[in-house]
Amino acid sequence: MTVTITHPGAGLLAPALDTLTDVVAGDWASVARLCAARLKDAKTCGFDLDVVAVRAGVVRSPRQTYDYQVHHRFLVVSEHPAVLCAALDLYVQLWLGRWDTLEQVAPVRTRPIPGWRPLELLRARARHQLPGTWPEESADAEGLSQAPPTARLAHHILTSLEGGSASPLYDVPAGPAAVHVT
């Protein structure tokens, strides 16, 4: 199956697929790279996220990439729409500060260290975030109306793929995207 997204910012959503690939492969530091603009030091945050991943029982595996192409106003994803939905949902959740979502995506291959809790992901985010980016240790960090434009666009496309209509509570930069599944 192929999903074609037509929008001036469509290419900005390609990192969503790369982040899903990284997280599934056990590379939680990719979240720090994705959200680097909102962190004091993305490299240090990435190291902390890798430590949290080990505590959660996540083991790194080979990275299996998803098939997509970026064109001027198009993102063409040659995968099942469910893969794109998973990538966009994770992308939106991470930009909203809900980093505890990681533990629901990454396959656990060993037993977590006793005492492991998903709250550790939110604490790692809170330690490294720049002031005013997300509320401290909150799973419900911010709404879509205050999210970066790419997160709002990702949510709009995710809603379209799932058969709903975009929320009037936020603006989509450059207008709505066209989503076509073949």
Side-chain angles (χ1 to χ4, degrees):
M1 297 185 93
T2 301
V3 180
T4 304
I5 300 165
T6 307
H7 187 272
L12 298 173
L13 298 177
L17 289 154
D18 295 333
T19 300
L20 179 64
T21 296
D22 291 340
V23 170
V24 169
D27 177 11
W28 285 9
S30 64
V31 174
R33 293 188 297 272
L34 175 72
C35 298
R38 292 179 155 204
L39 301 171
K40 297 173 197 166
D41 181 359
K43 189 174 183 176
T44 304
C45 180
F47 176 76
D48 282 358
L49 287 171
D50 281 339
V51 169
V52 172
V54 169
R55 288 185 45 75
V58 174
V59 176
R60 294 244 182 152
S61 63
R63 191 176 187 273
Q64 182 178 345
T65 59
Y66 298 114
D67 186 13
Y68 68 85
Q69 294 178 342
V70 177
H71 303 285
H72 178 65
R73 295 174 50 94
F74 302 96
L75 175 62
V76 180
V77 181
S78 299
E79 300 285 346
H80 193 280
V83 171
L84 181 57
C85 285
L88 293 175
D89 185 50
L90 177 64
Y91 187 77
V92 170
Q93 297 305 319
L94 295 174
W95 274 111
L96 293 178
R98 299 175 188 140
W99 288 15
D100 53 334
T101 304
L102 284 175
E103 65 95 22
Q104 297 170 8
V105 176
V108 175
R109 294 183 179 92
T110 63
R111 287 183 169 260
I113 291 177
W116 150 252
R117 298 287 180 264
L119 182 61
E120 291 181 39
L121 289 159
L122 297 175
R123 288 182 178 150
R125 188 205 73 214
R127 277 193 306 276
H128 296 284
Q129 71 189 37
L130 290 169
T133 52
W134 295 289
E136 301 284 321
E137 290 188 35
S138 171
D140 209 19
E142 70 179 335
L144 281 166
S145 61
Q146 290 135 16
T150 53
R152 294 193 312 265
L153 177 60
H155 185 264
H156 167 74
I157 293 166
L158 177 63
T159 303
S160 294
L161 283 168
E162 292 177 338
S165 60
S167 171
L169 301 176
Y170 64 88
D171 292 327
V172 178
V179 180
H180 184 69
V181 181
T182 54

PDB file of all heavy atoms in Angstrom, residues 105-123:
ATOM      1  N   VAL A 105       5.723   1.504  22.697  1.00  0.00           N
ATOM      2  CA  VAL A 105       6.123   1.260  21.316  1.00  0.00           C
ATOM      3  C   VAL A 105       7.295   0.291  21.227  1.00  0.00           C
ATOM      4  O   VAL A 105       7.315  -0.588  20.376  1.00  0.00           O
ATOM      5  CB  VAL A 105       6.489   2.592  20.620  1.00  0.00           C
ATOM      6  CG1 VAL A 105       6.993   2.354  19.211  1.00  0.00           C
ATOM      7  CG2 VAL A 105       5.291   3.527  20.613  1.00  0.00           C
ATOM      8  N   ALA A 106       8.268   0.469  22.099  1.00  0.00           N
ATOM      9  CA  ALA A 106       9.494  -0.331  22.010  1.00  0.00           C
ATOM     10  C   ALA A 106       9.263  -1.738  22.540  1.00  0.00           C
ATOM     11  O   ALA A 106       8.727  -1.922  23.635  1.00  0.00           O
ATOM     12  CB  ALA A 106      10.608   0.330  22.810  1.00  0.00           C
ATOM     13  N   PRO A 107       9.665  -2.741  21.771  1.00  0.00           N
ATOM     14  CA  PRO A 107       9.518  -4.119  22.260  1.00  0.00           C
ATOM     15  C   PRO A 107      10.510  -4.404  23.386  1.00  0.00           C
ATOM     16  O   PRO A 107      11.687  -4.099  23.270  1.00  0.00           O
ATOM     17  CB  PRO A 107       9.815  -4.973  21.026  1.00  0.00           C
ATOM     18  CG  PRO A 107      10.595  -4.090  20.121  1.00  0.00           C
ATOM     19  CD  PRO A 107      10.219  -2.676  20.439  1.00  0.00           C
ATOM     20  N   VAL A 108      10.005  -4.940  24.465  1.00  0.00           N
ATOM     21  CA  VAL A 108      10.848  -5.295  25.609  1.00  0.00           C
ATOM     22  C   VAL A 108      11.357  -6.709  25.382  1.00  0.00           C
ATOM     23  O   VAL A 108      10.582  -7.632  25.156  1.00  0.00           O
ATOM     24  CB  VAL A 108      10.057  -5.181  26.929  1.00  0.00           C
ATOM     25  CG1 VAL A 108      10.892  -5.663  28.097  1.00  0.00           C
ATOM     26  CG2 VAL A 108       9.590  -3.753  27.138  1.00  0.00           C
ATOM     27  N   ARG A 109      12.669  -6.867  25.413  1.00  0.00           N
ATOM     28  CA  ARG A 109      13.259  -8.170  25.127  1.00  0.00           C
ATOM     29  C   ARG A 109      13.847  -8.831  26.369  1.00  0.00           C
ATOM     30  O   ARG A 109      14.191  -9.993  26.334  1.00  0.00           O
ATOM     31  CB  ARG A 109      14.322  -8.019  24.049  1.00  0.00           C
ATOM     32  CG  ARG A 109      13.693  -7.602  22.715  1.00  0.00           C
ATOM     33  CD  ARG A 109      14.723  -7.521  21.606  1.00  0.00           C
ATOM     34  NE  ARG A 109      14.091  -7.141  20.360  1.00  0.00           N
ATOM     35  CZ  ARG A 109      13.967  -5.900  19.919  1.00  0.00           C
ATOM     36  NH1 ARG A 109      14.432  -4.910  20.641  1.00  0.00           N
ATOM     37  NH2 ARG A 109      13.379  -5.647  18.778  1.00  0.00           N
ATOM     38  N   THR A 110      13.975  -8.078  27.444  1.00  0.00           N
ATOM     39  CA  THR A 110      14.439  -8.635  28.717  1.00  0.00           C
ATOM     40  C   THR A 110      13.527  -8.096  29.810  1.00  0.00           C
ATOM     41  O   THR A 110      12.720  -7.201  29.579  1.00  0.00           O
ATOM     42  CB  THR A 110      15.902  -8.237  29.014  1.00  0.00           C
ATOM     43  OG1 THR A 110      15.985  -6.815  29.159  1.00  0.00           O
ATOM     44  CG2 THR A 110      16.845  -8.706  27.921  1.00  0.00           C
ATOM     45  N   ARG A 111      13.709  -8.630  30.999  1.00  0.00           N
ATOM     46  CA  ARG A 111      12.901  -8.137  32.122  1.00  0.00           C
ATOM     47  C   ARG A 111      13.367  -6.747  32.538  1.00  0.00           C
ATOM     48  O   ARG A 111      14.556  -6.487  32.615  1.00  0.00           O
ATOM     49  CB  ARG A 111      13.049  -9.066  33.329  1.00  0.00           C
ATOM     50  CG  ARG A 111      12.346 -10.367  33.170  1.00  0.00           C
ATOM     51  CD  ARG A 111      12.502 -11.171  34.471  1.00  0.00           C
ATOM     52  NE  ARG A 111      11.622 -12.294  34.417  1.00  0.00           N
ATOM     53  CZ  ARG A 111      10.436 -12.324  35.029  1.00  0.00           C
ATOM     54  NH1 ARG A 111      10.042 -11.326  35.754  1.00  0.00           N
ATOM     55  NH2 ARG A 111       9.672 -13.392  34.925  1.00  0.00           N
ATOM     56  N   PRO A 112      12.400  -5.865  32.809  1.00  0.00           N
ATOM     57  CA  PRO A 112      12.793  -4.547  33.325  1.00  0.00           C
ATOM     58  C   PRO A 112      13.486  -4.694  34.677  1.00  0.00           C
ATOM     59  O   PRO A 112      13.250  -5.655  35.418  1.00  0.00           O
ATOM     60  CB  PRO A 112      11.467  -3.813  33.490  1.00  0.00           C
ATOM     61  CG  PRO A 112      10.504  -4.547  32.630  1.00  0.00           C
ATOM     62  CD  PRO A 112      10.976  -5.973  32.607  1.00  0.00           C
ATOM     63  N   ILE A 113      14.337  -3.750  34.997  1.00  0.00           N
ATOM     64  CA  ILE A 113      14.995  -3.724  36.298  1.00  0.00           C
ATOM     65  C   ILE A 113      13.919  -3.446  37.343  1.00  0.00           C
ATOM     66  O   ILE A 113      13.030  -2.612  37.116  1.00  0.00           O
ATOM     67  CB  ILE A 113      16.098  -2.649  36.308  1.00  0.00           C
ATOM     68  CG1 ILE A 113      17.216  -3.103  35.379  1.00  0.00           C
ATOM     69  CG2 ILE A 113      16.601  -2.367  37.706  1.00  0.00           C
ATOM     70  CD1 ILE A 113      18.346  -2.128  35.214  1.00  0.00           C
ATOM     71  N   PRO A 114      13.951  -4.145  38.474  1.00  0.00           N
ATOM     72  CA  PRO A 114      12.936  -3.900  39.511  1.00  0.00           C
ATOM     73  C   PRO A 114      12.840  -2.413  39.858  1.00  0.00           C
ATOM     74  O   PRO A 114      13.855  -1.739  40.019  1.00  0.00           O
ATOM     75  CB  PRO A 114      13.434  -4.716  40.699  1.00  0.00           C
ATOM     76  CG  PRO A 114      14.245  -5.813  40.069  1.00  0.00           C
ATOM     77  CD  PRO A 114      14.894  -5.193  38.866  1.00  0.00           C
ATOM     78  N   GLY A 115      11.643  -1.933  39.925  1.00  0.00           N
ATOM     79  CA  GLY A 115      11.407  -0.531  40.235  1.00  0.00           C
ATOM     80  C   GLY A 115      11.215   0.349  39.012  1.00  0.00           C
ATOM     81  O   GLY A 115      10.886   1.524  39.133  1.00  0.00           O
ATOM     82  N   TRP A 116      11.420  -0.194  37.804  1.00  0.00           N
ATOM     83  CA  TRP A 116      11.234   0.582  36.574  1.00  0.00           C
ATOM     84  C   TRP A 116       9.800   1.051  36.461  1.00  0.00           C
ATOM     85  O   TRP A 116       8.853   0.298  36.691  1.00  0.00           O
ATOM     86  CB  TRP A 116      11.603  -0.261  35.353  1.00  0.00           C
ATOM     87  CG  TRP A 116      10.811   0.113  34.126  1.00  0.00           C
ATOM     88  CD1 TRP A 116       9.822  -0.620  33.565  1.00  0.00           C
ATOM     89  CD2 TRP A 116      10.901   1.313  33.349  1.00  0.00           C
ATOM     90  NE1 TRP A 116       9.302   0.039  32.470  1.00  0.00           N
ATOM     91  CE2 TRP A 116       9.943   1.244  32.319  1.00  0.00           C
ATOM     92  CE3 TRP A 116      11.689   2.450  33.424  1.00  0.00           C
ATOM     93  CZ2 TRP A 116       9.764   2.246  31.379  1.00  0.00           C
ATOM     94  CZ3 TRP A 116      11.504   3.454  32.486  1.00  0.00           C
ATOM     95  CH2 TRP A 116      10.560   3.338  31.484  1.00  0.00           C
ATOM     96  N   ARG A 117       9.603   2.304  36.114  1.00  0.00           N
ATOM     97  CA  ARG A 117       8.281   2.882  35.864  1.00  0.00           C
ATOM     98  C   ARG A 117       8.382   3.836  34.676  1.00  0.00           C
ATOM     99  O   ARG A 117       9.377   4.552  34.528  1.00  0.00           O
ATOM    100  CB  ARG A 117       7.781   3.687  37.075  1.00  0.00           C
ATOM    101  CG  ARG A 117       7.612   2.870  38.341  1.00  0.00           C
ATOM    102  CD  ARG A 117       6.374   1.965  38.233  1.00  0.00           C
ATOM    103  NE  ARG A 117       6.201   1.179  39.417  1.00  0.00           N
ATOM    104  CZ  ARG A 117       6.630  -0.064  39.573  1.00  0.00           C
ATOM    105  NH1 ARG A 117       7.286  -0.673  38.619  1.00  0.00           N
ATOM    106  NH2 ARG A 117       6.415  -0.745  40.676  1.00  0.00           N
ATOM    107  N   PRO A 118       7.349   3.903  33.827  1.00  0.00           N
ATOM    108  CA  PRO A 118       7.370   4.837  32.693  1.00  0.00           C
ATOM    109  C   PRO A 118       7.548   6.302  33.109  1.00  0.00           C
ATOM    110  O   PRO A 118       8.000   7.122  32.310  1.00  0.00           O
ATOM    111  CB  PRO A 118       6.016   4.624  32.031  1.00  0.00           C
ATOM    112  CG  PRO A 118       5.613   3.248  32.420  1.00  0.00           C
ATOM    113  CD  PRO A 118       6.184   3.035  33.799  1.00  0.00           C
ATOM    114  N   LEU A 119       7.240   6.618  34.359  1.00  0.00           N
ATOM    115  CA  LEU A 119       7.430   7.971  34.867  1.00  0.00           C
ATOM    116  C   LEU A 119       8.893   8.414  34.729  1.00  0.00           C
ATOM    117  O   LEU A 119       9.186   9.603  34.610  1.00  0.00           O
ATOM    118  CB  LEU A 119       6.982   8.050  36.332  1.00  0.00           C
ATOM    119  CG  LEU A 119       7.071   9.403  37.017  1.00  0.00           C
ATOM    120  CD1 LEU A 119       6.190  10.415  36.298  1.00  0.00           C
ATOM    121  CD2 LEU A 119       6.651   9.291  38.475  1.00  0.00           C
ATOM    122  N   GLU A 120       9.829   7.451  34.676  1.00  0.00           N
ATOM    123  CA  GLU A 120      11.246   7.778  34.510  1.00  0.00           C
ATOM    124  C   GLU A 120      11.489   8.527  33.202  1.00  0.00           C
ATOM    125  O   GLU A 120      12.378   9.362  33.113  1.00  0.00           O
ATOM    126  CB  GLU A 120      12.111   6.516  34.554  1.00  0.00           C
ATOM    127  CG  GLU A 120      12.176   5.876  35.919  1.00  0.00           C
ATOM    128  CD  GLU A 120      13.059   4.633  35.938  1.00  0.00           C
ATOM    129  OE1 GLU A 120      14.124   4.637  35.277  1.00  0.00           O
ATOM    130  OE2 GLU A 120      12.676   3.665  36.614  1.00  0.00           O
ATOM    131  N   LEU A 121      10.698   8.225  32.182  1.00  0.00           N
ATOM    132  CA  LEU A 121      10.835   8.918  30.904  1.00  0.00           C
ATOM    133  C   LEU A 121      10.441  10.387  31.029  1.00  0.00           C
ATOM    134  O   LEU A 121      11.100  11.269  30.481  1.00  0.00           O
ATOM    135  CB  LEU A 121       9.987   8.226  29.839  1.00  0.00           C
ATOM    136  CG  LEU A 121      10.518   6.870  29.396  1.00  0.00           C
ATOM    137  CD1 LEU A 121       9.416   6.038  28.771  1.00  0.00           C
ATOM    138  CD2 LEU A 121      11.674   7.068  28.439  1.00  0.00           C
ATOM    139  N   LEU A 122       9.380  10.646  31.770  1.00  0.00           N
ATOM    140  CA  LEU A 122       8.958  12.028  31.982  1.00  0.00           C
ATOM    141  C   LEU A 122       9.947  12.775  32.854  1.00  0.00           C
ATOM    142  O   LEU A 122      10.205  13.966  32.651  1.00  0.00           O
ATOM    143  CB  LEU A 122       7.560  12.069  32.598  1.00  0.00           C
ATOM    144  CG  LEU A 122       6.448  11.475  31.734  1.00  0.00           C
ATOM    145  CD1 LEU A 122       5.131  11.461  32.485  1.00  0.00           C
ATOM    146  CD2 LEU A 122       6.329  12.218  30.424  1.00  0.00           C
ATOM    147  N   ARG A 123      10.530  12.090  33.811  1.00  0.00           N
ATOM    148  CA  ARG A 123      11.544  12.726  34.665  1.00  0.00           C
ATOM    149  C   ARG A 123      12.797  13.062  33.859  1.00  0.00           C
ATOM    150  O   ARG A 123      13.415  14.102  34.074  1.00  0.00           O
ATOM    151  CB  ARG A 123      11.877  11.829  35.844  1.00  0.00           C
ATOM    152  CG  ARG A 123      10.751  11.778  36.850  1.00  0.00           C
ATOM    153  CD  ARG A 123      11.079  10.941  38.049  1.00  0.00           C
ATOM    154  NE  ARG A 123       9.977  10.980  38.978  1.00  0.00           N
ATOM    155  CZ  ARG A 123       9.662   9.994  39.801  1.00  0.00           C
ATOM    156  NH1 ARG A 123      10.386   8.880  39.814  1.00  0.00           N
ATOM    157  NH2 ARG A 123       8.641  10.107  40.612  1.00  0.00           N
TER     158      ARG A 123
END
